[in-house]
Amino acid sequence: MTEPVRVLLADDEHLIRGALAALLALEDDIVVVAQAASGPEALAMAQAHRPDVAVLDLQMPGLDGIEVAAELRHLLPECRTMIVTGHGRPGYLKRALEVGVRGFLPKTVSAEELARIIRTVLAGGRFVDPELAADAISAGDSPLTPRETDVLELAADGTSVAEIAVRASLSPGTVRNYLSSAATKLGAENRHAAVRVAREHGWI
């Protein structure tokens, strides 16, 4: 009998992470060996438990899923990485593929489908959700970094710099720098215009 696939689940939403762990536990050939609620915790758990596949949420405190995947590529090159996202932001797909992510899929995927994709990725295959891929192609490349994108998205509903800083686990000064950088890259006169431009291109 072959060894079960050892999986790390990283998602800051406890309910979603717990539900995924419970559903994957029903699969005979998959075992969840560790769970994490932040990017740094995901790295620590990966090094401690050495999973075969890391299933990473795109947006997490500390480090986002793509940043974690980039680190794991160097720390644990044998560990395959997958990104699961509730935000189908096209600009992220290209960055994910560039750092070696083997799977990119929405959180709406079923547990059975997730298990199948985990097996595909472990076997050396790749899975990119067709809808997310189509959106990425039509939107073109985003000039924004993942952090700039996160901060700009948080600013989209008029949230204050202080509140964005709390929600993104950053200092207010760093938030202002990210917003200013994003506006400059998008040729926008302020963060509100930057939000509009980014939305028109499907980058947030």
Side-chain angles (χ1 to χ4, degrees), residues 119-143:
R119 296 183 191 106
T120 298
V121 164
L122 181 69
R126 191 192 298 274
F127 178 88
V128 175
D129 179 74
E131 207 167 306
L132 293 179
D135 287 346
I137 292 166
S138 63
D141 295 339
S142 170

PDB file of all heavy atoms in Angstrom, residues 119-143:
ATOM      1  N   ARG A 119      -3.944  15.173  -5.818  1.00  0.00           N
ATOM      2  CA  ARG A 119      -3.293  13.980  -6.387  1.00  0.00           C
ATOM      3  C   ARG A 119      -2.596  14.327  -7.706  1.00  0.00           C
ATOM      4  O   ARG A 119      -1.484  13.850  -7.981  1.00  0.00           O
ATOM      5  CB  ARG A 119      -4.332  12.878  -6.615  1.00  0.00           C
ATOM      6  CG  ARG A 119      -4.975  12.359  -5.330  1.00  0.00           C
ATOM      7  CD  ARG A 119      -5.954  11.222  -5.610  1.00  0.00           C
ATOM      8  NE  ARG A 119      -6.740  10.926  -4.416  1.00  0.00           N
ATOM      9  CZ  ARG A 119      -8.031  11.260  -4.263  1.00  0.00           C
ATOM     10  NH1 ARG A 119      -8.681  11.875  -5.232  1.00  0.00           N
ATOM     11  NH2 ARG A 119      -8.665  10.957  -3.149  1.00  0.00           N
ATOM     12  N   THR A 120      -3.259  15.138  -8.524  1.00  0.00           N
ATOM     13  CA  THR A 120      -2.684  15.554  -9.810  1.00  0.00           C
ATOM     14  C   THR A 120      -1.384  16.319  -9.608  1.00  0.00           C
ATOM     15  O   THR A 120      -0.373  16.065 -10.272  1.00  0.00           O
ATOM     16  CB  THR A 120      -3.687  16.448 -10.578  1.00  0.00           C
ATOM     17  OG1 THR A 120      -4.864  15.690 -10.861  1.00  0.00           O
ATOM     18  CG2 THR A 120      -3.094  16.972 -11.877  1.00  0.00           C
ATOM     19  N   VAL A 121      -1.415  17.250  -8.666  1.00  0.00           N
ATOM     20  CA  VAL A 121      -0.251  18.086  -8.375  1.00  0.00           C
ATOM     21  C   VAL A 121       0.896  17.235  -7.828  1.00  0.00           C
ATOM     22  O   VAL A 121       2.059  17.401  -8.211  1.00  0.00           O
ATOM     23  CB  VAL A 121      -0.638  19.205  -7.384  1.00  0.00           C
ATOM     24  CG1 VAL A 121       0.579  19.857  -6.762  1.00  0.00           C
ATOM     25  CG2 VAL A 121      -1.491  20.247  -8.092  1.00  0.00           C
ATOM     26  N   LEU A 122       0.581  16.295  -6.933  1.00  0.00           N
ATOM     27  CA  LEU A 122       1.606  15.428  -6.363  1.00  0.00           C
ATOM     28  C   LEU A 122       2.285  14.598  -7.452  1.00  0.00           C
ATOM     29  O   LEU A 122       3.495  14.364  -7.409  1.00  0.00           O
ATOM     30  CB  LEU A 122       1.002  14.497  -5.309  1.00  0.00           C
ATOM     31  CG  LEU A 122       2.009  13.557  -4.643  1.00  0.00           C
ATOM     32  CD1 LEU A 122       2.969  14.340  -3.752  1.00  0.00           C
ATOM     33  CD2 LEU A 122       1.302  12.481  -3.829  1.00  0.00           C
ATOM     34  N   ALA A 123       1.495  14.198  -8.444  1.00  0.00           N
ATOM     35  CA  ALA A 123       2.024  13.355  -9.523  1.00  0.00           C
ATOM     36  C   ALA A 123       2.830  14.163 -10.539  1.00  0.00           C
ATOM     37  O   ALA A 123       3.314  13.609 -11.532  1.00  0.00           O
ATOM     38  CB  ALA A 123       0.872  12.636 -10.221  1.00  0.00           C
ATOM     39  N   GLY A 124       2.978  15.483 -10.283  1.00  0.00           N
ATOM     40  CA  GLY A 124       3.763  16.310 -11.188  1.00  0.00           C
ATOM     41  C   GLY A 124       2.939  17.095 -12.183  1.00  0.00           C
ATOM     42  O   GLY A 124       3.481  17.793 -13.040  1.00  0.00           O
ATOM     43  N   GLY A 125       1.615  16.952 -12.088  1.00  0.00           N
ATOM     44  CA  GLY A 125       0.740  17.685 -12.995  1.00  0.00           C
ATOM     45  C   GLY A 125       0.485  19.104 -12.508  1.00  0.00           C
ATOM     46  O   GLY A 125       1.014  19.545 -11.480  1.00  0.00           O
ATOM     47  N   ARG A 126      -0.340  19.802 -13.265  1.00  0.00           N
ATOM     48  CA  ARG A 126      -0.679  21.181 -12.934  1.00  0.00           C
ATOM     49  C   ARG A 126      -2.187  21.364 -13.128  1.00  0.00           C
ATOM     50  O   ARG A 126      -2.772  20.754 -14.019  1.00  0.00           O
ATOM     51  CB  ARG A 126       0.089  22.128 -13.861  1.00  0.00           C
ATOM     52  CG  ARG A 126       0.042  23.602 -13.457  1.00  0.00           C
ATOM     53  CD  ARG A 126       0.564  24.479 -14.574  1.00  0.00           C
ATOM     54  NE  ARG A 126       1.945  24.252 -14.933  1.00  0.00           N
ATOM     55  CZ  ARG A 126       2.991  24.821 -14.331  1.00  0.00           C
ATOM     56  NH1 ARG A 126       2.801  25.631 -13.311  1.00  0.00           N
ATOM     57  NH2 ARG A 126       4.213  24.577 -14.741  1.00  0.00           N
ATOM     58  N   PHE A 127      -2.786  22.197 -12.294  1.00  0.00           N
ATOM     59  CA  PHE A 127      -4.207  22.502 -12.487  1.00  0.00           C
ATOM     60  C   PHE A 127      -4.435  24.000 -12.288  1.00  0.00           C
ATOM     61  O   PHE A 127      -4.104  24.555 -11.236  1.00  0.00           O
ATOM     62  CB  PHE A 127      -5.094  21.729 -11.504  1.00  0.00           C
ATOM     63  CG  PHE A 127      -6.558  22.079 -11.666  1.00  0.00           C
ATOM     64  CD1 PHE A 127      -7.352  21.389 -12.565  1.00  0.00           C
ATOM     65  CD2 PHE A 127      -7.126  23.134 -10.954  1.00  0.00           C
ATOM     66  CE1 PHE A 127      -8.696  21.732 -12.744  1.00  0.00           C
ATOM     67  CE2 PHE A 127      -8.467  23.481 -11.123  1.00  0.00           C
ATOM     68  CZ  PHE A 127      -9.249  22.780 -12.030  1.00  0.00           C
ATOM     69  N   VAL A 128      -4.986  24.636 -13.305  1.00  0.00           N
ATOM     70  CA  VAL A 128      -5.396  26.037 -13.197  1.00  0.00           C
ATOM     71  C   VAL A 128      -6.874  26.100 -13.573  1.00  0.00           C
ATOM     72  O   VAL A 128      -7.269  25.608 -14.636  1.00  0.00           O
ATOM     73  CB  VAL A 128      -4.570  26.956 -14.132  1.00  0.00           C
ATOM     74  CG1 VAL A 128      -5.099  28.384 -14.080  1.00  0.00           C
ATOM     75  CG2 VAL A 128      -3.095  26.925 -13.745  1.00  0.00           C
ATOM     76  N   ASP A 129      -7.679  26.677 -12.678  1.00  0.00           N
ATOM     77  CA  ASP A 129      -9.107  26.797 -12.952  1.00  0.00           C
ATOM     78  C   ASP A 129      -9.313  27.533 -14.284  1.00  0.00           C
ATOM     79  O   ASP A 129      -8.767  28.626 -14.477  1.00  0.00           O
ATOM     80  CB  ASP A 129      -9.772  27.579 -11.815  1.00  0.00           C
ATOM     81  CG  ASP A 129     -11.259  27.767 -12.062  1.00  0.00           C
ATOM     82  OD1 ASP A 129     -12.008  26.791 -11.906  1.00  0.00           O
ATOM     83  OD2 ASP A 129     -11.655  28.897 -12.435  1.00  0.00           O
ATOM     84  N   PRO A 130     -10.074  26.959 -15.212  1.00  0.00           N
ATOM     85  CA  PRO A 130     -10.239  27.560 -16.544  1.00  0.00           C
ATOM     86  C   PRO A 130     -10.791  28.985 -16.507  1.00  0.00           C
ATOM     87  O   PRO A 130     -10.377  29.846 -17.281  1.00  0.00           O
ATOM     88  CB  PRO A 130     -11.217  26.610 -17.244  1.00  0.00           C
ATOM     89  CG  PRO A 130     -11.079  25.312 -16.517  1.00  0.00           C
ATOM     90  CD  PRO A 130     -10.770  25.674 -15.098  1.00  0.00           C
ATOM     91  N   GLU A 131     -11.732  29.236 -15.600  1.00  0.00           N
ATOM     92  CA  GLU A 131     -12.334  30.575 -15.515  1.00  0.00           C
ATOM     93  C   GLU A 131     -11.310  31.606 -15.045  1.00  0.00           C
ATOM     94  O   GLU A 131     -11.218  32.714 -15.583  1.00  0.00           O
ATOM     95  CB  GLU A 131     -13.528  30.540 -14.560  1.00  0.00           C
ATOM     96  CG  GLU A 131     -14.557  31.600 -14.871  1.00  0.00           C
ATOM     97  CD  GLU A 131     -15.861  31.368 -14.127  1.00  0.00           C
ATOM     98  OE1 GLU A 131     -16.433  30.270 -14.236  1.00  0.00           O
ATOM     99  OE2 GLU A 131     -16.291  32.307 -13.435  1.00  0.00           O
ATOM    100  N   LEU A 132     -10.519  31.239 -14.015  1.00  0.00           N
ATOM    101  CA  LEU A 132      -9.488  32.148 -13.525  1.00  0.00           C
ATOM    102  C   LEU A 132      -8.427  32.384 -14.605  1.00  0.00           C
ATOM    103  O   LEU A 132      -7.916  33.502 -14.758  1.00  0.00           O
ATOM    104  CB  LEU A 132      -8.825  31.580 -12.266  1.00  0.00           C
ATOM    105  CG  LEU A 132      -9.693  31.488 -11.012  1.00  0.00           C
ATOM    106  CD1 LEU A 132      -8.896  30.881  -9.866  1.00  0.00           C
ATOM    107  CD2 LEU A 132     -10.233  32.854 -10.604  1.00  0.00           C
ATOM    108  N   ALA A 133      -8.110  31.338 -15.365  1.00  0.00           N
ATOM    109  CA  ALA A 133      -7.127  31.475 -16.443  1.00  0.00           C
ATOM    110  C   ALA A 133      -7.634  32.423 -17.526  1.00  0.00           C
ATOM    111  O   ALA A 133      -6.900  33.289 -18.010  1.00  0.00           O
ATOM    112  CB  ALA A 133      -6.821  30.107 -17.047  1.00  0.00           C
ATOM    113  N   ALA A 134      -8.909  32.282 -17.895  1.00  0.00           N
ATOM    114  CA  ALA A 134      -9.493  33.146 -18.921  1.00  0.00           C
ATOM    115  C   ALA A 134      -9.505  34.600 -18.463  1.00  0.00           C
ATOM    116  O   ALA A 134      -9.195  35.518 -19.229  1.00  0.00           O
ATOM    117  CB  ALA A 134     -10.905  32.676 -19.249  1.00  0.00           C
ATOM    118  N   ASP A 135      -9.852  34.816 -17.199  1.00  0.00           N
ATOM    119  CA  ASP A 135      -9.865  36.174 -16.647  1.00  0.00           C
ATOM    120  C   ASP A 135      -8.461  36.779 -16.678  1.00  0.00           C
ATOM    121  O   ASP A 135      -8.281  37.962 -16.979  1.00  0.00           O
ATOM    122  CB  ASP A 135     -10.374  36.160 -15.202  1.00  0.00           C
ATOM    123  CG  ASP A 135     -11.874  35.908 -15.119  1.00  0.00           C
ATOM    124  OD1 ASP A 135     -12.548  36.008 -16.169  1.00  0.00           O
ATOM    125  OD2 ASP A 135     -12.355  35.607 -14.016  1.00  0.00           O
ATOM    126  N   ALA A 136      -7.463  35.962 -16.341  1.00  0.00           N
ATOM    127  CA  ALA A 136      -6.079  36.441 -16.298  1.00  0.00           C
ATOM    128  C   ALA A 136      -5.600  36.857 -17.683  1.00  0.00           C
ATOM    129  O   ALA A 136      -4.932  37.880 -17.848  1.00  0.00           O
ATOM    130  CB  ALA A 136      -5.172  35.363 -15.728  1.00  0.00           C
ATOM    131  N   ILE A 137      -5.964  36.075 -18.690  1.00  0.00           N
ATOM    132  CA  ILE A 137      -5.546  36.382 -20.057  1.00  0.00           C
ATOM    133  C   ILE A 137      -6.184  37.689 -20.536  1.00  0.00           C
ATOM    134  O   ILE A 137      -5.527  38.544 -21.128  1.00  0.00           O
ATOM    135  CB  ILE A 137      -5.907  35.218 -21.004  1.00  0.00           C
ATOM    136  CG1 ILE A 137      -5.048  33.990 -20.675  1.00  0.00           C
ATOM    137  CG2 ILE A 137      -5.716  35.619 -22.468  1.00  0.00           C
ATOM    138  CD1 ILE A 137      -5.538  32.716 -21.295  1.00  0.00           C
ATOM    139  N   SER A 138      -7.476  37.870 -20.234  1.00  0.00           N
ATOM    140  CA  SER A 138      -8.172  39.062 -20.716  1.00  0.00           C
ATOM    141  C   SER A 138      -7.742  40.318 -19.960  1.00  0.00           C
ATOM    142  O   SER A 138      -7.788  41.427 -20.502  1.00  0.00           O
ATOM    143  CB  SER A 138      -9.689  38.872 -20.600  1.00  0.00           C
ATOM    144  OG  SER A 138     -10.063  38.725 -19.243  1.00  0.00           O
ATOM    145  N   ALA A 139      -7.307  40.176 -18.717  1.00  0.00           N
ATOM    146  CA  ALA A 139      -6.957  41.345 -17.902  1.00  0.00           C
ATOM    147  C   ALA A 139      -5.548  41.861 -18.170  1.00  0.00           C
ATOM    148  O   ALA A 139      -5.252  43.021 -17.933  1.00  0.00           O
ATOM    149  CB  ALA A 139      -7.088  41.004 -16.418  1.00  0.00           C
ATOM    150  N   GLY A 140      -4.655  41.012 -18.659  1.00  0.00           N
ATOM    151  CA  GLY A 140      -3.276  41.433 -18.837  1.00  0.00           C
ATOM    152  C   GLY A 140      -2.537  41.415 -17.511  1.00  0.00           C
ATOM    153  O   GLY A 140      -3.082  41.042 -16.475  1.00  0.00           O
ATOM    154  N   ASP A 141      -1.284  41.821 -17.535  1.00  0.00           N
ATOM    155  CA  ASP A 141      -0.443  41.771 -16.345  1.00  0.00           C
ATOM    156  C   ASP A 141      -0.646  42.989 -15.459  1.00  0.00           C
ATOM    157  O   ASP A 141      -0.623  44.124 -15.932  1.00  0.00           O
ATOM    158  CB  ASP A 141       1.034  41.692 -16.737  1.00  0.00           C
ATOM    159  CG  ASP A 141       1.363  40.400 -17.462  1.00  0.00           C
ATOM    160  OD1 ASP A 141       0.591  39.439 -17.303  1.00  0.00           O
ATOM    161  OD2 ASP A 141       2.369  40.361 -18.183  1.00  0.00           O
ATOM    162  N   SER A 142      -0.800  42.749 -14.176  1.00  0.00           N
ATOM    163  CA  SER A 142      -0.898  43.850 -13.220  1.00  0.00           C
ATOM    164  C   SER A 142       0.499  44.341 -12.860  1.00  0.00           C
ATOM    165  O   SER A 142       1.396  43.534 -12.618  1.00  0.00           O
ATOM    166  CB  SER A 142      -1.609  43.390 -11.949  1.00  0.00           C
ATOM    167  OG  SER A 142      -1.513  44.383 -10.941  1.00  0.00           O
ATOM    168  N   PRO A 143       0.701  45.653 -12.795  1.00  0.00           N
ATOM    169  CA  PRO A 143       1.999  46.183 -12.389  1.00  0.00           C
ATOM    170  C   PRO A 143       2.180  46.182 -10.870  1.00  0.00           C
ATOM    171  O   PRO A 143       3.261  46.480 -10.365  1.00  0.00           O
ATOM    172  CB  PRO A 143       1.966  47.622 -12.921  1.00  0.00           C
ATOM    173  CG  PRO A 143       0.518  47.991 -12.855  1.00  0.00           C
ATOM    174  CD  PRO A 143      -0.233  46.727 -13.181  1.00  0.00           C
TER     175      PRO A 143
END
